[in-house]
Amino acid sequence: MTTNKHALTANHWGVGVAHIENGKLVKISPHPDDPASSQLNDNVASSLNGSARVLHPSIRRSWLYNGPGRGDKDRGQDEFVRVSWEKANKLIAAEINRVRETYSNESIFAGSYGWASAGRFHHAQSQLKRFLNTQGGSVSSEGNYSYNAALVLMPHIMESFRVQVSKATRWSVIAEHTKLLVMFGGIAERNTQISDGGIARHRMASGFKKCADAGVKCINISPVRTDASKTLKSEWLPPKPGSDTAIMMGLAHTLLTENLHDKAFLEKYTTGFEHIRAYLLGEKDGIAKDANWASIQSGLDANRIKERARQMAASRTMISVAAGVQRTDYGEQPLWMAVTLASMLGQIGLPGGGYVIGYGVNGNIGNMERLFRWGTVPQGQNPIKTAVPVALIADLSLHPGKSYKYNGRLHKFPDTKLVWWAGGNPFHHHQDLNRLHRAFQKPDTIIVNEVNWTATAKRADIVLPVAAAHERLDFGGGKSDNALVPMPMVITPPGEAKTEYEIYSGIAEQLGNQDEFTEGRSISDWLKHIWRITQNNGKEHNIDLPDWDEFIQGDVITVPDPSPNQVFMADFRDDPIKNRLPTPSGKIELYSETIASFNLKSCPGHPTWFEPRDVAAGRGETYPLYLLSGQPKTRLHSQLDNGDYSKSHKIKDREPVLINPIDAKKRGIEHGDIVELFNDRGRCLAGAKVTDEIAQGCIFLWTGAWLDQDFNAPQNRDNHGNPNVLTHDERTSSLSQSPASHSALVDVQLYTEKLPKIRAHEPPSFRK
Ligand SMILES: Nc1nc2c(c(=O)[nH]1)N[C@H]1C(S)=C(S)[C@@H](COP(=O)(O)OP(=O)(O)OC[C@H]3O[C@@H](n4cnc5c(=O)[nH]c(N)nc54)[C@H](O)[C@@H]3O)O[C@H]1N2
Ligand SMILES: Nc1nc2c(c(=O)[nH]1)N[C@H]1C(S)=C(S)[C@@H](COP(=O)(O)OP(=O)(O)OC[C@H]3O[C@@H](n4cnc5c(=O)[nH]c(N)nc54)[C@H](O)[C@@H]3O)O[C@H]1N2
Ligand SMILES: [Mo]
């Protein structure tokens, strides 16, 4: 094997060394400085050399022959035709002109949510936005699928959620000071393999080990036992999904009625406690939110709830809430109630006390922060100011002109004619995919830039082949990491694949304003430019970075950790006047006048309990199992699902679904069987993994198996195991319009018919 000494590459899951044999990537091995590296590296070569790779510009047959909006077969069921780059560029330029002249740039949607890949320059969404901003702009998207409820809620009651995450109490502090760690939704170690933009060293396992060695007591309140690392030896309390707010209220009620709440803290640092106090005591609705009530809502034992409340008040307690807990109906409420409970305990700002939301969202939270900002590609100005919350994409196409509420204001959907997606896979990430499939039939034109033939690419009119991370010159720098990674171009892209930058340069040339997009710079000119910005930012922190030519030939550069002993909200606790919060009162708002003034049934002025929608609607009679669908251990979302590591965990080629032995036995299901999951919205096949790591009454199907719809089967059954054919598209509330993928009821049955072949990992059919 010949290994290029400098063949470093960066992915969201870590720095790798690319091994090239006869001009082909054969594997990515971990960087020697990262002993706890991620196994996701094992998906790269097998996927990117696989048959799903997009190799040529391709156009949907009926779009090509009939014209935009005149397809005679549904998107997703049509054939493709291979075309030259020249033809693709001409057709795209003509379509941009047609749409902006006939309608306006408001009819171009380039929200394009998604994780794309690592690399500061070739960031897919930045390049797409920069390009469209030189063409009159486009409608963008706002927020994310990860923790959108927190993004919208938190500025009203605390401060920006992104700022909160960057200030998370460090794991070394927890190990030293925390006595009790209460984890709602656990802190899944499998999720800490990744970090947005890259992670040079994986530190979470050693953080957990320090806690275990120090004797920190841990409680995992989650339907899945393995949501807490084995190392922590946690007590496992599996609740009914979506009942966290009720559990927190039961704990809070105990504190209140046993006089264990910190009145001085509440007085000095918060406003509105009297409202939540009255609510907990049931003064208005006659329902005391006590431990017995919480027990009915959650299925947890009432005495345990009371005991844990006392224990929390008696020791240094850290409350952790996984981001996934808010990806539920009314997902704002567990967040607000966690802040309330932590305020009642009065430990916010103390080392190892208080709360943190989002540990486990990536491997850097609580472990690392960057000292200064890395350079980015400037996106220019978007003349179009319309932005749609990410999780409203189906509604955007289905209901042009319709009004919707968002963060206290009324907005209107524009009339979308052209959709452009680069670096995301909505037919993985969005909920109720049968509904999204209908929405995707509406626009005149859908363009998708992709590395692989995903379900989204298969539903596009124009598909453009994109170079992968190691096939382009770049550098990596994670958004919360302390490392800069040279990313030399290790091999040339296969087929006719190009970088996003080259793609838009070619289209801009057709449109007659290439210089506006390129500013006359080559890729290497741009990288030197962005690196210079990075160097200058470093200088302000006394960091001398080498020049580009030296850096790109060298090894990873790490810069010092800016805050190794960080304690969340310590500055606010020290001086709440000088460090007042950016809320109207400057304090933590347990009641928000602003939110109350929005008059929303689904999100009143203080934390409020709501049953999950399917449960409240009585669907549990027909569909008795709660479906959970978190992030997969074996890949990043849907990326590289056809890679070796991802495939190695499938059962008879399908995604595994975790089922409790009691639920399995009731249905005659055994480990390794193929089962069918179903509800009113859709159905899919999956491979049964019978295990007591999942609570009875719940099943867990990992996200990200490439959608494989059989249009001849009932409800267009997905044959591969994608949970989003079962999830609903109703969102958390009209405050934040966030995705609520964890709230869905289903049933499951043994599948006994002949197993259909998986086609998701193959390209679509092409017209010869
Ligand atoms: N049911 C359920 N659904 C969920 C979730 C859940 O918990 N449950 N989680 C949600 C969350 S938190 C998230 S963040 C989303 C993730 O949703 P996405 O971010 O959309 O998922 P990815 O699979 O990462 O999609 C990225 C796509 O970009 C492509 N790509 C990579 N590099 C490039 C590039 O340089 N250029 C271009 N053009 N394409 C590139 C990849 O091939 C891949 O198809 O999913 C959400 N969906
Ligand atoms: N390997 C890998 N790592 C990843 C990703 C990936 O795709 N692959 N994706 C990354 C991304 S984009 C994100 S946003 C983060 C997400 O990070 P998290 O949000 O922390 O992860 P999730 O897996 O969505 O949810 C965590 C757990 O919450 C539990 N849960 C779900 N609903 C409820 C509930 O109602 N109550 C309680 N108590 N628990 C509940 C589920 O059992 C689930 O395992 O992970 C990141 N890390
Ligand atoms: Mo996410």
Side-chain angles (χ1 to χ4, degrees):
M1 184 186 288
T2 54
T3 306
N4 180 344
K5 185 165 149 263
H6 300 302
L8 282 191
T9 179
N11 287 300
H12 295 305
W13 49 87
V15 182
V17 183
H19 298 248
I20 309 298
E21 229 174 67
N22 303 323
K24 218 175 172 183
L25 178 76
V26 289
K27 77 167 185 186
I28 306 253
S29 59
H31 191 283
D33 290 348
D34 184 20
S37 67
S38 163
Q39 249 184 294
L40 299 192
N41 283 326
D42 294 348
N43 284 329
V44 183
S46 40
S47 170
L48 293 179
N49 296 329
S51 55
R53 193 73 200 256
V54 183
L55 295 172
H56 307 284
S58 307
I59 300 193
R60 175 183 164 218
R61 180 198 53 84
S62 64
W63 188 97
L64 182 65
Y65 297 137
N66 303 352
R70 302 220 183 88
D72 53 22
K73 231 178 173 190
D74 270 7
R75 291 192 172 96
Q77 298 188 62
D78 210 346
E79 294 175 317
F80 281 84
V81 180
R82 174 177 162 179
V83 299
S84 66
W85 270 112
E86 197 192 350
K87 182 155 188 175
N89 289 349
K90 276 196 180 143
L91 287 167
I92 292 172
E95 181 58 359
I96 290 174
N97 279 332
R98 184 189 74 89
V99 171
R100 63 186 173 183
E101 280 157 24
T102 319
Y103 307 97
S104 77
N105 285 70
E106 287 263 349
S107 286
I108 304 177
F109 177 70
S112 190
Y113 178 79
W115 265 62
S117 41
R120 300 300 299 171
F121 178 64
H122 295 291
H123 180 242
Q125 283 85 4
S126 306
Q127 292 286 351
L128 173 62
K129 282 173 190 161
R130 177 178 164 78
F131 164 66
L132 286 173
N133 288 346
T134 65
Q135 306 301 335
S138 60
V139 172
S140 46
S141 64
E142 201 165 284
N144 64 26
Y145 279 73
S146 313
Y147 40 68
N148 202 66
L151 288 177
V152 179
L153 172 76
M154 283 299 174
H156 292 296
I157 65 161
M158 281 287 295
E159 64 176 335
S160 141
F161 184 65
R162 289 191 204 279
V163 172
Q164 289 190 40
V165 169
S166 71
K167 289 193 202 162
T169 299
R170 288 301 175 85
W171 282 99
S172 50
V173 177
I174 295 185
E176 194 182 340
H177 297 277
T178 305
K179 294 285 174 269
L180 182 64
L181 173 64
V182 183
M183 301 173 284
F184 290 89
I187 299 174
E189 194 171 325
R190 57 180 180 270
N191 288 353
T192 64
Q193 293 179 80
I194 60 95
S195 199
D196 191 355
I199 171 166
R201 193 174 290 195
H202 293 81
R203 299 175 169 89
M204 199 59 255
S206 75
F208 286 148
K209 171 110 190 3
K210 273 187 215 142
C211 292
D213 291 348
V216 180
K217 279 211 177 66
C218 300
I219 305 177
N220 175 28
I221 303 176
S222 179
V224 182
R225 176 149 36 88
T226 41
D227 280 347
S229 162
K230 265 193 196 143
T231 317
L232 294 176
K233 299 202 173 63
S234 307
E235 174 187 10
W236 182 34
L237 302 179
K240 289 183 199 164
S243 68
D244 303 83
T245 307
I247 300 167
M248 293 175 195
M249 287 177 174
L251 293 165
H253 185 278
T254 309
L255 296 179
L256 181 65
T257 51
E258 298 189 7
N259 203 19
L260 296 172
H261 58 305
D262 186 334
K263 289 161 276 299
F265 184 92
L266 290 166
E267 175 68 26
K268 187 168 178 190
Y269 299 98
T270 75
T271 59
F273 179 64
E274 63 283 6
H275 292 267
I276 188 74
R277 184 183 171 282
Y279 183 74
L280 290 172
L281 296 175
E283 285 178 1
K284 262 197 221 150
D285 60 5
I287 303 169
K289 315 300 176 300
D290 59 14
N292 290 333
W293 169 87
S295 166
I296 294 166
Q297 309 305 331
S298 66
L300 299 188
D301 178 68
N303 282 331
R304 277 239 220 159
I305 295 177
K306 281 190 208 155
E307 280 162 22
R308 295 299 164 267
R310 293 170 195 138
Q311 209 180 337
M312 287 167 88
S315 35
R316 183 60 55 87
T317 300
M318 173 60 84
I319 298 169
S320 154
V321 184
V325 170
Q326 82 199 284
R327 242 172 279 127
T328 54
D329 290 338
Y330 313 101
E332 296 80 7
Q333 304 310 320
L335 305 176
W336 206 347
M337 196 55 217
V339 173
T340 304
L341 181 60
S343 297
M344 290 174 74
L345 290 169
Q347 301 183 19
I348 294 175
L350 292 179
Y355 79 92
V356 166
I357 292 161
Y359 278 134
V361 143
N362 71 48
N364 279 329
I365 295 176
N367 287 311
M368 186 48 70
E369 256 308 317
R370 63 179 170 183
L371 181 62
F372 56 91
R373 295 179 84 84
W374 327 131
T376 45
V377 205
Q379 292 181 16
Q381 287 295 320
N382 188 356
I384 303 294
K385 299 300 167 214
T386 311
V388 180
V390 278
L392 285 174
I393 47 166
D395 292 76
L396 167 68
S397 286
L398 290 170
H399 303 299
K402 196 178 157 190
S403 305
Y404 65 92
K405 285 184 195 160
Y406 171 57
N407 207 5
R409 297 179 70 174
L410 211 56
H411 301 258
K412 213 182 211 181
F413 290 119
D415 187 8
T416 306
K417 299 293 176 189
L418 170 59
V419 170
W420 202 322
W421 224 287
N425 185 6
F427 279 89
H428 141 67
H429 70 229
H430 197 60
Q431 283 57 67
D432 197 349
L433 290 178
N434 279 315
R435 183 169 191 257
L436 185 66
H437 181 77
R438 289 195 295 281
F440 255 56
Q441 307 306 329
K442 296 270 178 178
D444 287 351
T445 300
I446 298 176
I447 307 176
V448 169
N449 302 10
E450 250 301 344
V451 178
N452 275 325
W453 277 104
T454 59
T456 306
K458 286 176 180 169
R459 281 162 184 74
D461 300 303
I462 303 176
V463 181
L464 302 176
V466 173
H470 58 278
E471 297 161 0
R472 54 200 193 197
L473 174 68
D474 211 332
F475 73 97
K479 278 195 187 149
S480 51
D481 208 32
N482 67 331
L484 289 158
V485 187
M487 295 171 71
M489 183 165 152
V490 176
I491 45 170
T492 49
E496 294 179 271
K498 289 186 187 186
T499 62
E500 306 280 346
Y501 183 73
E502 293 164 304
I503 293 173
Y504 302 124
S505 304
I507 303 167
E509 189 180 8
Q510 285 294 326
L511 286 160
N513 65 346
Q514 193 191 43
D515 276 1
E516 231 183 291
F517 175 70
T518 63
E519 295 181 32
R521 292 191 176 108
S522 66
I523 290 175
S524 141
D525 293 339
W526 269 109
L527 278 158
K528 286 179 185 161
H529 174 69
I530 297 172
W531 182 253
R532 225 169 290 125
I533 297 171
T534 312
Q535 279 181 307
N536 289 340
N537 293 352
K539 273 201 192 100
E540 288 174 18
H541 294 264
N542 298 320
I543 302 290
D544 262 330
L545 294 170
D547 284 338
W548 174 255
D549 291 332
E550 190 188 324
F551 166 63
I552 196 68
Q553 289 176 43
D555 204 346
V556 176
I557 294 178
T558 53
V559 296
D561 179 353
S563 43
N565 301 311
Q566 180 165 279
V567 172
F568 180 55
M569 303 296 288
D571 49 351
F572 174 64
R573 188 177 185 104
D574 283 350
D575 189 340
I577 306 293
K578 195 168 131 226
N579 301 315
R580 78 193 297 273
L581 296 175
T583 56
S585 61
K587 296 184 178 187
I588 301 172
E589 303 219 340
L590 306 183
Y591 178 86
S592 161
E593 297 281 355
T594 314
I595 294 179
S597 75
F598 298 161
N599 267 322
L600 306 173
K601 275 206 188 91
S602 54
C603 190
H606 60 74
T608 306
W609 162 247
F610 297 94
E611 269 191 317
R613 291 191 187 91
D614 275 4
V615 177
R619 291 215 179 91
E621 304 272 310
T622 327
Y623 304 116
L625 298 172
Y626 288 86
L627 171 73
L628 301 160
S629 53
Q631 315 293 22
K633 177 182 169 195
T634 57
R635 56 184 176 261
L636 175 63
H637 315 127
S638 70
Q639 296 199 26
L640 314 177
D641 177 42
N642 59 337
D644 284 349
Y645 182 49
S646 174
K647 276 171 57 175
S648 71
H649 279 63
K650 306 229 177 200
I651 295 175
K652 294 184 185 139
D653 300 333
R654 307 208 183 215
E655 198 59 23
V657 58
L658 313 186
I659 308 182
N660 182 279
I662 296 170
D663 294 320
K665 196 164 173 223
K666 251 191 233 165
R667 293 166 177 80
I669 295 165
E670 287 184 24
H671 192 75
D673 281 343
I674 296 303
V675 293
E676 188 175 41
L677 283 60
F678 59 97
N679 63 16
D680 291 343
R681 293 177 285 266
R683 57 185 62 222
C684 70
L685 301 184
K689 186 176 169 195
V690 178
T691 165
D692 60 10
E693 70 182 273
I694 177 108
Q696 199 189 330
C698 300
I699 58 173
F700 195 119
L701 179 59
W702 307 105
T703 55
W706 290 358
L707 182 70
D708 198 332
Q709 282 185 308
D710 180 346
F711 294 104
N712 297 316
Q715 296 175 294
N716 294 340
R717 185 190 59 221
D718 159 51
N719 287 333
H720 193 194
N722 186 314
N724 280 325
V725 297
L726 301 157
T727 52
H728 71 63
D729 190 9
E730 288 179 67
R731 272 92 48 198
T732 54
S733 80
S734 50
L735 178 78
S736 74
Q737 297 285 5
S738 308
S741 46
H742 281 310
S743 291
L745 294 179
V746 299
D747 203 355
V748 54
Q749 62 193 10
L750 191 65
Y751 183 79
T752 49
E753 288 167 45
K754 188 168 173 267
L755 275 189
K757 196 171 170 289
I758 301 297
R759 296 156 312 162
H761 294 156
E762 299 303 322
S765 44
F766 273 78
R767 173 160 275 213
K768 297 282 167 331

